[in-house]
Amino acid sequence: MAAGSDGGPTDRGEVRRRPLRNLWRLRRYLRPHTVEFSWLMLAGLAATGAGIAVPLVAQQVVDGPVARRDLTGLYQLGALALLLGLAEASLIFIRRWVQSSSSVTMEAAIRADVYAHLQQLPPSFHDRWPSGQLLSRITSDLSVLRRFLSFGLFFLILNVVTYLVVVVLLIRLHPALGLLVGVSAVPLFVIARRFGRHYHTASRRMQDQQGDVATLVEETAQGLRTMKAYGRGPQLTARFTAGTEALHDTGVGKGRLLARTAALLDLVPNLTLSIVLVAGAAAVAAGRLTVGQLVAFVSLQLMLIWPVQALGWIIANGQEAATAADRIQEVLDTPPAIVDAPGAVALARSTVHGRLRFEAVGFRYPGSPAPVLRGIDLTVEPGETLAVVGATGSGKSTLLSLVPRLHDVGTGRITLDGHDLRDLRLASLRRLVGMAFEEPTLFSMSVWENLTLGRPDAGEDEVRAALALAQAEFAYDLPWGLRTRLGEQGLSLSGGQRQRLALARAVLVRPAVLVLDDPLSALDVHTEALVESALKRVLRNTTALLVVHRPSTIALADRVALLEQGRFTAVGPHTELLATVPAYRAVLSAEPATPPPPRSPPGGPPLVRS
Amino acid sequence: MARLRARSRTLLAEVLRPHRGRLGAAVALLLTQNAAAMSGPYLVMLGIDRAIEPLREGRSGPLAAVAVSFAAATGIEYAARRGFLTLSARVGQAVLLDLRQRVYAHFLRLPVAFHERYTSGRMISRLTSDIDSIAELVDGGVESLVMAALTIVSVAAILLWLDLPLAAVTLLAFPLLFWLSRWFARASAAAYRHTREAMALVIVHFVESMRGIRAVQAYRREPRNQRIFDSVNDDYRRSSRQAFRLIATYSPSIKLIGNVTVAGVLCYGGARVLGGETAVGVLAAFLLYLRRFFEPMQELSQFYNSLQSATAALEKLAGVLDERPAVAEPVRPVPLPRRPGRGAVHFQAVSFGYRPDAPILTGLDLTIPAGQTVALIGPTGAGKSTVAKLLARFHDPATGTVTLDGVDLRQVADAELRRTVVLVTQETHLFGGTVAENIRFGRPDADDAAVEAAARAIGAHDFIAALPDGYATEVHRRGGRLSAGQRQLVAFARAFLADPAVLILDEATSSLDVPTERLVQHALSTILRDRTAVVIAHRLSTVETVDRVLVLDDGRIVEDGPPAELIADGGRYAALHRQWRDSLL
Ligand SMILES: Nc1ncnc2c1ncn2[C@@H]1O[C@H](COP(=O)(O)OP(=O)(O)OP(=O)(O)O)[C@@H](O)[C@H]1O
Ligand SMILES: Nc1ncnc2c1ncn2[C@@H]1O[C@H](COP(=O)(O)OP(=O)(O)OP(=O)(O)O)[C@@H](O)[C@H]1O
Ligand SMILES: [Mg+2]
Ligand SMILES: [Mg+2]
């Protein structure tokens, strides 16, 4: 198996060497919004500029018109302040408006890509990843990212710029005090860095734990019937409680970290302010500074409080975003193990005969020591039906899943009409293969959609024929006929009804190779016989692989292959194997534990009792 | 809608109640912090108005006093802020924990029928994404919300105290702010409700398509799925954009009002200083305070937004908690009689349908004496699983009663019912975790030896022992690491370990190969010897060892008797049996 298949979630607590790398890699989602982003950056800066100018105007008011007792000047400056205020508000409006659409668009784009990628990843990937971990990536992690891309990043830049601009203005007002304020950035930087490091660990833990909780919830949702059947609510609740408590503890730890830092970040500018106040008052007293200048200085400096206070939040947000980016890239970086090879060809259905050949096929599941299949050699001729028989866990389903390339062979190869399956276009191959799984997989959509999953263009008649073949005409009697929307996983149907729909779906594809994994296990004897006789007609000119446990169904097959120890130990017609291969007989024979009751006399009309 | 809003408010009050003490402390800290922060501009004013003159005269005392007070205020602010943030994070996290657990526990209480309607995706969405949006508020919102409100109130007070007429100009802005906020509250509540539901749809689709990924890929459903996903994703995008646009309008409008007020104060205040009605320091302080007044207003709008989003989520949660379990635990449970030979089952005139207009069972009467093993057979879709589910009380009958040892199932405490009746469902479900954990699900206090004994008894031990880590092998999600037959064996071992008085097996051996099935059969005859059992099976091999066969068709029992007798009678069962025997080797 290729690299992607052993991609379980990475180890917890692994040290990230380049913390921002993955965040940086997401910049491609920002690219389509470069223009917007520049605009909103500009608007943001301008708005801040306007905001900064207001205290300067106030200074002018105090120093100028008020000192000179100039009413007109006062109103002029007042008008200026009004203008600046209007400008600031409109600029903020523009910024936020633009942001509101670009940030959600980026979020949606990433989500769509993650989904698309996940759809490409093979089942072996999905088996190994706890489902909630995938889910939390497209929900929690993405909203963290959205918040960063829309606010965190913006304010990071904006606040740094504001800080610089204000410091420059302060230096111009009073070089010594201005420099003092500038230097106060050093302790801020130190605090911020330490915080960032600690916070990163906490946020990774938190986001992983969120995934764990999501997994628990999903498992509960799916295992609800089993939970009810055993009354295991308390146990599941205990498990969930443990999960959420872990999340809670991490949350509290994060809160404590943030509290310490946020308070410190608050402390620094305030201390600076007190020094400024003393020194400024002294300077005014000494006549080196006007009162107005001092007022302006202080109010400008107060403007720094918010950017600095927000620093804690921005760093926290940035760290979370970096973690989210890591987690998302973990998925996006898993290469789909099963993809079109370069130069893969598509086969047209009409040109395919359906000779399926297994050549020394071996397969091992990633992470398990022994191979399941160790050398399958066999040719299924066009139109032939091969039944695969073997004990539970012998590898029948595994073998079948190789045909539509849900897994790729480990060694050897499988060919269809002489083409290695891996040289065919995946979509083309899967169009040629119709498959019914041992657990019928239905979706919560209409019966019609479920049936035409593999052939959306199927006509009414074809659907009717497929349903008739699978003895699934009950579908027409559902409340809204074929338009009835099935419950989740088709659970609003009985077991046998689900299985028959899944069979109809496989047949409807009119595949070149039909792959049926124990397709009649949930049917009663009578219905089974009806389906078999109908299926027989279809199988006459379709290459088919059939996993069966019951002797009755074997009658459908031209040849039977006995799967043992990862190999076909016997291949041949049913009766021949039965006579010559004891192992074959053993796998199928139904010598009951107690001797069979005497045969019934030929039955009269069905007797109704109740 | 209004009811839900009220319910969500009650819910909030409920989850906050246990933290009253801490909340009180938090508010005290906040007040302290606020007072300390508020004293800043005032001290600046003092510094300018009262300390500069003395300094000119060479007296540095007043300035020193101001500076020391300022430093003290700063220190207090630091301590109070840190204390408050820590405390509020604790309360916030505790509230989230409480909400998660409440909603989860309630989901477990709700019946199968509810979950079929609600879908697992929605349930997941409630417990993840909705909680997330409340967490967002908790993470920073509450502080700013309270802090901002406090700031605004205290600044308003100080302004009034500083200069009444000037303050009056400021307060002119209030009605406008009020009106704007009301508009925003209404509009954004609707918008956020929409986003919550849109997100739920994204999750529903995601969960379902990932779960069915094999079928999705085998049937090349990816492009169509992508289109569906894109459409729900886009719906979510649009609804959150709508919500963000509202705040994009609201927040600058607040800013605008603030700025206009500042300009007004500047002119009017300047004029008053000119007229000698007020001091320069007062004007300076006023302008500083005004900043502190409108800045939190800005933040307030931001967190008002989070609040709206969280409220929408809270409404969803309240909606779940509001669902009354239709298959409810009895208020006064009747204990089952504790005598040997328990497990007599009686269906009395039971009618049931999943939809009211489509009855599945009509007037079913059935008595199974304690200790009897009956086989329930019949064509697919006849209602066999439905009978099983009624007996396991997944659903309650529409009319009639199902009793166990003479007690209506509706009056049996859930824990006792589950100890007594176990249903092995037709759909095998394994949880992620080890094989042993999955078997132990049947009896959580069982030790390893008991787990192994159960596996041995039904013939699952050999394959389990052959797994790489034996009983400690991880079975992956939904048991995907095992073959279908192996999963059934594990589920069977689980039921065996549970050791109930009444065991219902719904197609529990359908995926097994014949020899394994034979082994299980053999085990069954001992396992079922002295318990009541209902065995549903299409393969009649299972049926041969039972005491009695029931043939179900169209929701009625059409034949009933010992297998040999029914075969002799030559009815439905006889025909089925013949067909089945002919199909054997
Ligand atoms: N994802 C997996 N990872 C590792 N091992 C697996 C995985 N899936 C199946 N196996 C193992 O591979 C073997 C073959 O499984 P497979 O599902 O092919 O059996 P099967 O012949 O179809 O059995 P059944 O008749 O019970 O359906 C089993 O022993 C199983 O435990
Ligand atoms: N959850 C549900 N919601 C609505 N209808 C349902 C639901 N479950 C079953 N049904 C319907 O009730 C009828 C009886 O179903 P039930 O599952 O009891 O059949 P069954 O006898 O067990 O069949 P099978 O042998 O195929 O498992 C079927 O027509 C089925 O479509
Ligand atoms: Mg299988
Ligand atoms: Mg059933």
Side-chain angles (χ1 to χ4, degrees):
Chain A
M1 293 291 295
S5 49
D6 70 311
T10 50
D11 283 341
R12 304 287 165 87
E14 158 218 30
V15 183
R16 202 169 33 148
R17 257 157 281 129
R18 299 172 63 191
L20 296 178
R21 201 179 124 250
N22 282 323
L23 196 55
W24 177 239
R25 288 172 60 200
L26 288 175
R27 70 187 178 283
R28 65 176 181 278
Y29 292 100
L30 209 53
R31 202 165 294 140
H33 304 279
T34 322
V35 177
E36 285 166 54
F37 200 78
S38 336
W39 274 116
L40 64 88
M41 217 58 234
L42 267 177
L45 286 174
T48 313
I52 293 175
V54 176
L56 296 177
V57 174
Q59 177 216 338
Q60 291 295 318
V61 169
V62 175
D63 282 352
V66 172
R68 275 183 277 115
R69 319 197 61 76
D70 167 13
L71 208 58
T72 348
L74 175 68
Y75 289 141
Q76 275 168 359
L77 283 176
L80 182 60
L82 186 65
L83 222 61
L84 284 171
L86 277 175
E88 189 193 7
S90 347
L91 286 167
I92 291 181
F93 172 75
I94 293 172
R95 188 201 90 210
R96 299 199 70 134
W97 189 269
V98 171
Q99 223 163 28
S100 63
S101 86
S102 60
S103 66
V104 293
T105 308
M106 282 187 274
E107 181 192 1
I110 302 179
R111 185 177 290 119
D113 282 359
V114 173
Y115 181 80
H117 191 72
L118 282 174
Q119 282 208 98
Q120 281 194 343
L121 289 172
S124 58
F125 171 90
H126 289 273
D127 281 346
R128 300 173 73 84
W129 273 68
S131 44
Q133 288 290 0
L134 297 181
L135 181 70
S136 67
R137 278 163 170 80
I138 68 142
T139 55
S140 312
D141 287 323
L142 269 184
S143 56
V144 166
L145 262 183
R146 188 219 334 113
R147 255 175 287 154
F148 178 71
L149 290 177
S150 65
F151 292 103
L153 182 59
F154 172 75
F155 279 115
L156 184 65
I157 299 175
L158 188 68
N159 287 357
V160 168
V161 172
T162 310
Y163 198 92
L164 292 178
V165 169
V166 170
V167 166
V168 167
L169 286 174
L170 289 178
I171 291 177
R172 283 195 45 195
L173 270 173
H174 193 288
L177 288 181
L179 274 178
L180 176 76
V181 175
V183 167
S184 74
V186 175
L188 289 178
F189 183 74
V190 173
I191 296 167
R193 255 189 57 142
R194 277 199 39 198
F195 171 64
R197 265 207 303 274
H198 292 301
Y199 203 78
H200 161 240
T201 324
S203 66
R204 175 77 209 205
R205 192 178 318 131
M206 180 106 176
Q207 276 149 282
D208 283 340
Q209 285 170 344
Q210 269 171 351
D212 291 342
V213 167
T215 305
L216 286 177
V217 175
E218 186 169 353
E219 283 230 312
T220 308
Q222 292 176 357
L224 200 94
R225 287 172 179 76
T226 307
M227 183 282 291
K228 292 245 180 229
Y230 286 88
R232 287 289 165 264
Q235 278 71 26
L236 288 189
T237 309
R239 212 163 65 137
F240 183 75
T241 305
T244 48
E245 269 167 4
L247 194 55
H248 166 267
D249 294 347
T250 313
V252 169
K254 260 174 80 175
R256 196 173 301 134
L257 209 56
L258 191 59
R260 198 171 64 206
T261 309
L264 268 180
L265 288 178
D266 223 14
L267 187 65
V268 174
N270 272 325
L271 285 179
T272 324
L273 182 61
S274 69
I275 299 175
V276 165
L277 189 60
V278 172
V284 173
R288 275 176 284 123
L289 201 67
T290 63
V291 174
Q293 277 173 328
L294 182 58
V295 170
F297 197 98
V298 171
S299 37
L300 266 179
Q301 212 201 333
L302 284 179
M303 291 201 62
L304 287 182
I305 288 193
W306 190 76
V308 170
Q309 240 179 35
L311 199 60
W313 180 80
I314 291 172
I315 295 169
N317 179 236
Q319 284 296 350
E320 283 166 7
T323 310
D326 286 347
R327 283 168 47 88
I328 287 168
Q329 290 290 7
E330 269 167 28
V331 170
L332 290 179
D333 283 346
T334 309
I338 299 178
V339 285
D340 285 342
V345 295
L347 296 183
R349 170 72 183 86
S350 51
T351 62
V352 174
H353 305 291
R355 171 177 287 108
L356 193 65
R357 210 178 138 79
F358 294 85
E359 297 172 18
V361 170
F363 179 81
R364 187 169 63 82
Y365 280 104
S368 59
V372 178
L373 306 175
R374 315 161 184 266
I376 300 283
D377 276 299
L378 186 77
T379 308
V380 189
E381 296 300 334
E384 190 186 24
T385 301
L386 178 82
V388 180
V389 170
T392 284
S394 55
K396 304 179 293 294
S397 304
T398 308
L399 179 69
L400 261 51
S401 70
L402 299 178
V403 179
R405 281 186 78 198
L406 292 174
H407 295 288
D408 261 343
V409 295
T411 57
R413 60 180 203 147
I414 304 176
T415 59
L416 179 62
D417 287 354
H419 301 274
D420 189 322
L421 295 187
R422 285 165 296 190
D423 295 335
L424 297 179
R425 298 272 286 280
L426 206 51
S428 163
L429 170 68
R430 289 177 177 166
R431 190 169 300 123
L432 297 171
V433 177
M435 179 143 190
F437 300 90
E438 47 198 350
E439 273 161 27
T441 317
L442 300 182
F443 297 93
S444 58
M445 22 193 212
S446 70
V447 175
W448 177 272
E449 269 188 287
N450 267 297
L451 285 170
T452 56
L453 200 65
R455 259 194 65 204
D457 58 337
E460 194 99 32
D461 293 343
E462 289 167 297
V463 169
R464 183 177 296 277
L467 283 174
L469 180 138
Q471 298 294 311
E473 281 107 338
F474 71 88
Y476 290 106
D477 302 330
L478 292 171
W480 291 274
L482 297 189
R483 292 201 318 280
T484 310
R485 196 183 159 84
L486 296 182
E488 215 179 346
Q489 291 180 277
L491 283 181
S492 56
L493 297 175
S494 86
Q497 290 171 335
R498 284 199 296 278
Q499 200 171 44
R500 280 174 287 159
L501 286 189
L503 178 62
R505 170 167 78 193
V507 176
L508 187 64
V509 184
R510 282 208 259 124
V513 179
L514 188 58
V515 179
L516 304 176
D517 196 349
D518 208 3
L520 309 174
S521 63
L523 303 187
D524 61 277
V525 188
H526 183 65
T527 314
E528 186 189 352
L530 292 178
V531 176
E532 268 167 26
S533 64
L535 205 52
K536 206 165 196 123
R537 266 176 282 127
V538 173
L539 291 182
R540 200 164 297 146
N541 38 28
T542 310
T543 310
L545 276 180
L546 201 62
V547 166
V548 283
H549 283 308
R550 300 194 215 177
S552 55
T553 326
I554 293 182
L556 288 171
D558 303 309
R559 278 194 301 164
V560 192
L562 175 64
L563 185 60
E564 272 182 320
Q565 313 288 321
R567 290 197 181 80
F568 283 146
T569 51
V571 182
H574 175 57
T575 41
E576 194 183 306
L577 293 191
L578 211 53
T580 57
V581 184
Y584 181 71
R585 215 189 143 73
V587 161
L588 288 180
S589 89
E591 275 123 36
T594 53
R599 282 292 179 101
S600 52
L607 213 143
V608 179
R609 295 193 184 182
S610 39
Chain B
M1 203 40 83
R3 196 175 58 91
L4 268 191
R5 212 168 311 140
R7 180 74 183 86
S8 71
R9 238 173 275 138
T10 334
L11 176 61
L12 192 62
E14 266 172 43
V15 291
L16 284 177
R17 195 168 303 130
H19 308 288
R20 265 175 312 193
R22 282 196 201 159
L23 278 177
V27 169
L29 283 171
L30 204 52
L31 287 172
T32 316
Q33 183 204 337
N34 192 35
M38 279 303 109
S39 63
Y42 184 70
L43 288 171
V44 170
M45 180 191 86
L46 278 185
I48 292 172
D49 281 356
R50 307 270 170 83
I52 290 177
E53 277 314 307
L55 206 59
R56 285 206 176 109
E57 295 155 14
R59 281 188 296 121
S60 57
L63 184 62
V66 167
V68 168
S69 321
F70 198 96
T74 305
I76 293 172
E77 192 184 343
Y78 167 78
R81 181 164 158 84
R82 183 167 170 180
F84 169 79
L85 284 178
T86 312
L87 209 55
S88 72
R90 302 232 333 242
V91 173
Q93 290 297 330
V95 165
L96 290 179
L97 180 67
D98 188 4
L99 274 179
R100 279 200 184 97
Q101 296 187 350
R102 264 170 204 254
V103 175
Y104 183 81
H106 196 75
F107 267 126
L108 293 194
R109 270 196 294 276
L110 290 167
V112 174
F114 167 84
H115 286 278
E116 281 179 0
R117 193 160 32 81
Y118 203 71
T119 72
S120 61
R122 270 208 188 74
M123 165 170 168
I124 295 166
S125 155
R126 296 289 98 89
L127 278 164
T128 56
S129 153
D130 286 350
I131 296 271
D132 280 352
S133 69
I134 298 174
E136 215 174 295
L137 177 72
V138 162
D139 274 350
V142 176
E143 181 215 358
S144 316
L145 203 67
V146 177
M147 189 66 186
L150 273 177
T151 313
I152 289 168
V153 171
S154 43
V155 169
I158 295 177
L159 291 183
L160 286 169
W161 176 70
L162 276 176
D163 187 330
L164 198 60
L166 206 49
V169 174
T170 312
L171 295 184
L172 274 183
F174 262 69
L176 212 56
L177 287 175
F178 179 73
W179 174 81
L180 202 62
S181 301
R182 223 182 46 168
W183 163 80
F184 176 71
R186 292 213 179 128
S188 69
Y192 278 115
R193 259 180 226 132
H194 193 168
T195 61
R196 296 319 328 146
E197 198 44 36
M199 191 22 120
L201 288 181
V202 169
I203 293 179
V204 166
H205 179 78
F206 181 84
V207 167
E208 193 172 27
S209 51
M210 291 303 140
R211 180 160 43 197
I213 193 75
R214 281 184 168 74
V216 167
Q217 295 186 343
Y219 285 98
R220 310 173 316 286
R221 171 83 177 174
E222 298 96 331
R224 174 100 179 89
N225 265 354
Q226 189 73 42
R227 279 200 299 281
I228 298 177
F229 188 77
D230 285 348
S231 117
V232 286
N233 191 18
D234 197 56
D235 194 36
Y236 175 68
R237 180 183 69 85
R238 263 181 289 127
S239 64
S240 24
R241 186 182 59 190
Q242 173 60 21
F244 292 153
R245 282 193 171 162
L246 288 171
I247 176 79
T249 314
Y250 175 63
S251 165
S253 308
I254 299 273
K255 189 82 190 175
L256 182 65
I257 296 175
N259 285 343
V260 171
T261 313
V262 168
V265 165
L266 207 54
C267 293
Y268 183 58
R272 277 172 66 80
V273 174
L274 284 187
E277 290 153 86
T278 197
V280 181
V282 170
L283 180 61
F286 219 95
L287 289 172
L288 288 185
Y289 276 122
L290 268 189
R291 277 213 93 77
R292 293 223 157 176
F293 187 65
F294 283 104
E295 208 119 275
M297 205 71 104
Q298 200 65 22
E299 275 190 44
L300 197 62
S301 72
Q302 197 57 50
F303 292 109
Y304 198 28
N305 192 41
S306 312
L307 181 70
Q308 291 293 336
S309 156
T311 309
L314 204 61
E315 274 174 27
K316 292 283 175 199
L317 298 185
V320 172
L321 292 175
D322 226 20
E323 289 281 342
R324 288 296 112 222
V327 179
E329 270 252 35
V331 189
R332 265 186 299 282
V334 177
L336 293 174
R338 300 216 151 271
R339 51 182 152 72
R342 297 182 306 145
V345 171
H346 186 54
F347 280 68
Q348 193 174 17
V350 168
S351 299
F352 176 78
Y354 294 94
R355 275 179 304 268
D357 55 329
I360 305 287
L361 304 177
T362 43
L364 181 77
D365 283 306
L366 171 63
T367 306
I368 305 174
Q372 194 177 56
T373 301
V374 302
L376 191 58
I377 63 167
T380 114
K384 305 179 294 296
S385 301
T386 307
V387 171
K389 286 189 265 181
L390 286 174
L391 181 50
R393 203 173 175 228
F394 278 18
H395 307 272
D396 277 334
T399 60
T401 53
V402 182
T403 62
L404 181 62
D405 291 327
V407 182
D408 190 333
L409 289 189
R410 277 175 282 219
Q411 285 168 343
V412 184
D414 194 59
E416 182 161 26
L417 177 65
R418 301 303 165 197
R419 258 199 313 279
T420 317
V421 181
V422 160
L423 163 64
V424 179
T425 53
Q426 194 166 7
E427 306 79 34
T428 315
H429 179 87
L430 299 192
F431 292 91
T434 65
V435 175
E437 278 164 12
N438 268 292
I439 298 179
R440 195 171 283 127
F441 196 79
R443 184 150 59 82
D445 57 356
D447 58 14
D448 289 347
V451 168
E452 193 181 316
R456 274 184 196 284
I458 56 109
H461 175 76
D462 289 347
F463 100 78
I464 298 174
L467 292 173
D469 298 316
Y471 284 84
T473 307
E474 286 282 333
V475 300
H476 295 173
R477 57 196 281 197
R478 282 177 290 130
R481 162 75 181 76
L482 303 180
S483 85
Q486 291 168 340
R487 281 197 291 275
Q488 276 197 336
L489 285 175
V490 172
F492 218 108
R494 171 157 79 192
F496 179 75
L497 187 64
D499 189 26
V502 180
L503 182 60
I504 313 160
L505 301 173
D506 192 353
E507 293 282 352
T509 56
S510 61
S511 297
L512 298 182
D513 64 65
V514 183
T516 310
E517 193 184 16
R518 210 188 307 130
L519 274 180
V520 172
Q521 221 79 71
H522 189 70
L524 266 184
S525 52
T526 24
I527 294 167
L528 300 184
R529 190 162 298 141
D530 30 50
R531 60 183 103 227
T532 312
V534 178
V535 181
I536 300 173
H538 289 307
R539 301 203 205 167
L540 301 186
S541 47
T542 323
V543 172
E544 307 216 292
T545 52
V546 302
D547 303 317
R548 177 179 168 199
V549 172
L550 300 166
V551 181
L552 190 74
D553 197 0
D554 254 351
R556 319 178 62 84
I557 290 175
V558 293
E559 278 180 38
D560 178 355
E565 212 173 279
L566 290 187
I567 289 170
D569 282 353
R572 280 280 263 286
Y573 178 68
L576 275 177
H577 190 264
R578 186 161 0 94
Q579 203 166 7
W580 173 72
R581 280 230 55 95
D582 293 347
S583 75
L584 294 182
L585 285 185

